[in-house]
Amino acid sequence: MCGRFAITLPADAMAQLFAAQPANNLPRVPDYNACPTNPVHVVQAGGAGRQLVSMRWGFLPHWYKSESAGPLLINARAETISEKPAFAAAARERRCLIPATGFYEWTKSEAGARLPWFIYRSDAAPIAFAAVWQSWGDADPVKTCAIVTTAANQGLSGIHHRMPLILEPGDWGKWLGEEGHGAARLMQPGAEGVLDYHRVDPAVNSNRAEGPELIEPFGEEDIPRGQLI
């Protein structure tokens, strides 16, 4: 799964990377602790080309009467996304990308303490999460999104059994629907060796924590096998 991430790329650099026109109301960057329900940067495609916009991280199906009317849907499982009523239409018609520098996952120590890890591309390039979006509400519509996840590849399985679906640049157009059908074939665990990780300060366990020190290496890096959360 993916429950927190960091984005340190400036908005103009994101726009250039994805060949997208930036909106005027983008979230602040850098953000070392992007959390569910917060606004995040999203790349979507349309008749006017790619747009870099702000969306609420936390997908709201059209039948929700309020933002808290049901479960907080921050992730959508690739294996069932086309079958779930909340996500099926979005998976067909409203796919998007969420830029990130890296994301966090947690294991547990033998004493039960939550141990955070920061996961990032080995080549230090920005990450592009596959995602879906939904416009929610009638009077003042809010654009909302969820990150698509897959089973973890072997390299990350010692930290968590799920991982975000990470797309390579050559697949961005296919996922965004710019190159016809075939996006479903992209929904599989990423190639081995693309990602790296290290332990980070438990300060990030708080959703109020912020600052570049959150992604810096911290403490021992031995993975406590069998203690995954």
Side-chain angles (χ1 to χ4, degrees), residues 2-201:
C2 179
R4 307 265 197 87
F5 66 89
I7 175 65
T8 62
L9 202 63
D12 57 348
M14 278 187 265
Q16 182 176 6
L17 176 66
F18 291 96
Q21 180 66 33
N24 294 323
N25 64 337
L26 295 173
R28 64 174 178 82
V29 282
D31 185 353
Y32 294 93
N33 194 7
C35 301
T37 75
N38 287 353
V40 296
H41 297 80
V42 174
V43 178
Q44 63 177 120
R50 294 181 185 176
Q51 304 288 318
L52 179 65
V53 300
S54 174
M55 292 191 189
R56 175 193 189 268
W57 183 18
F59 191 98
L60 296 174
H62 66 84
W63 61 81
Y64 275 24
K65 300 301 183 183
S66 69
E67 293 184 3
S68 58
L72 180 60
L73 304 176
I74 63 171
N75 295 150
R77 295 175 67 96
E79 298 88 342
T80 58
I81 192 171
S82 63
E83 306 165 6
K84 296 293 185 181
F87 298 121
R92 291 191 306 269
E93 305 163 6
R94 295 185 299 278
R95 298 185 299 272
C96 57
L97 301 169
I98 297 179
T101 301
F103 61 99
Y104 300 97
E105 289 295 357
W106 281 261
T107 56
K108 278 188 177 180
S109 70
E110 294 183 358
R114 298 180 75 226
L115 306 176
W117 300 78
F118 187 62
I119 303 164
Y120 48 92
R121 289 189 61 108
S122 303
D123 60 7
I127 288 173
F129 296 139
V132 292
W133 69 274
Q134 168 79 46
S135 185
W136 176 83
D138 296 323
D140 188 16
V142 176
K143 287 187 175 181
T144 70
C145 60
I147 295 171
V148 179
T149 66
T150 70
N153 60 22
Q154 185 175 359
L156 290 186
S157 61
I159 293 180
H160 202 279
H161 63 285
R162 303 289 298 175
M163 66 179 289
L165 174 56
I166 295 172
L167 299 178
E168 297 297 325
D171 294 326
W172 294 349
K174 179 71 72 177
W175 182 258
L176 291 172
E178 299 168 336
E179 301 173 7
H181 301 292
R185 293 194 293 270
L186 302 176
M187 290 193 280
Q188 53 188 333
E192 301 293 341
V194 173
L195 300 176
D196 204 349
Y197 52 82
H198 56 248
R199 274 279 312 281
V200 291
D201 195 325

